[in-house]
Each structure stands twice: as C-alpha cells, then as structure tokens.
Amino acid sequence: MALVNAGVVVLDCAEPEKLAEFYKELLEAEEVAANANRVEVRAADGFRLALRRDVNATAPSWPRPENSLQVHLEFVVEDLDAVERRIVSLGGRPMEAGDAGSPLQERGYADPAGHSFTLRHGAPTAPKQG
C-alpha cells in the first residue's frame, strides 16, 4: 500500500461556492463534498479540485514582474477558441496567449477569483523560457 495517495488541488478564495460554480461548469464536474468553508468538485476524468474559504484572500499578482507563475492549473483541450468563449461566459478572463505559430499552442487565463490557469493542446515538451 502506498504511503501517500494522490490528493486534491486546493485553491483559497473568499467565496468558494461561487468559484466552485465556475469550475463545475468549466470542467463539467460534480460537487462531491461541501461545508461552510470548503467545496470540492470532481470532473468525469477523476480530477479533483477544492475551493477553500479564506476571508482575507486576494487575487494572485500574475503576471509577476519576474515572469514567474509559481503555481497554476493546466487543462488539455481540443478547441482553444470554444473553451475560451466558455471561460469568458463563466466570468474568467484571458491573461496571455502563446505563440500562434507554435506546435504547442497555449493560452493563459484567470478564474473569477484571479487564480491563473493554462489551456493547451498537448503536454509541455520544454521548460518555460523568459
């Protein structure tokens, strides 16, 4: 038996119920647990995300001057344009676009609470530069 099992990604935010709605819609996920300070959702592929209440939460400052994301979510999609329209309709916002001519197309976004995430067509093949 493994000493450590895969857990869940947890994002702190001021209003977990509202942010859970964003991710439930985006990921076509279901709510699997909730209490006064935390909501957890699970996507059909098993990905789990929890939103935890932090009454003092502030939006992350991304992009940072030193161009360091620190932590962000990454989602693999088939149609970048269609998913972008969905993100915007749910209250998210575009942050940056990758090189359109690149074989590895990716785009950066922020959820309604300001957490960064990336959409991409495939797995990364090299470290982020610059």
Side-chain angles (χ1 to χ4, degrees):
M1 180 174 190
L3 292 176
V4 178
N5 293 313
V8 59
V9 174
V10 180
L11 299 177
D12 289 347
C13 58
E15 300 177 281
E17 301 84 3
K18 286 185 179 181
L19 197 54
E21 287 302 317
F22 173 83
Y23 283 107
K24 281 178 12 183
E25 292 294 324
L26 179 63
L27 300 173
E28 298 179 8
E30 64 177 339
E31 187 173 300
V32 293
N35 63 40
N37 292 311
R38 180 179 161 128
V39 179
E40 185 174 325
V41 301
R42 180 179 54 224
D45 67 0
F47 175 73
R48 292 172 36 212
L49 180 66
L51 301 308
R52 183 178 68 173
R53 187 176 318 281
D54 176 351
V55 296
N56 297 314
T58 58
S61 60
W62 179 73
R64 297 174 66 170
E66 62 272 18
N67 197 26
S68 175
L69 294 175
Q70 302 302 312
V71 173
H72 71 283
L73 300 172
E74 190 170 276
F75 300 110
V76 177
V77 301
E78 291 296 319
D79 185 336
L80 286 168
D81 293 332
V83 178
E84 179 171 300
R85 287 189 296 274
R86 182 76 171 147
I87 289 166
V88 171
S89 76
L90 294 170
R93 65 185 185 281
M95 297 296 283
E96 73 175 23
D99 178 7
S102 165
L104 183 63
Q105 294 180 353
E106 64 180 43
R107 297 179 188 166
Y109 299 87
D111 68 23
H115 303 102
S116 60
F117 63 96
T118 302
L119 300 182
R120 68 169 58 246
H121 274 287
T125 57
K128 179 159 175 64
Q129 300 293 317

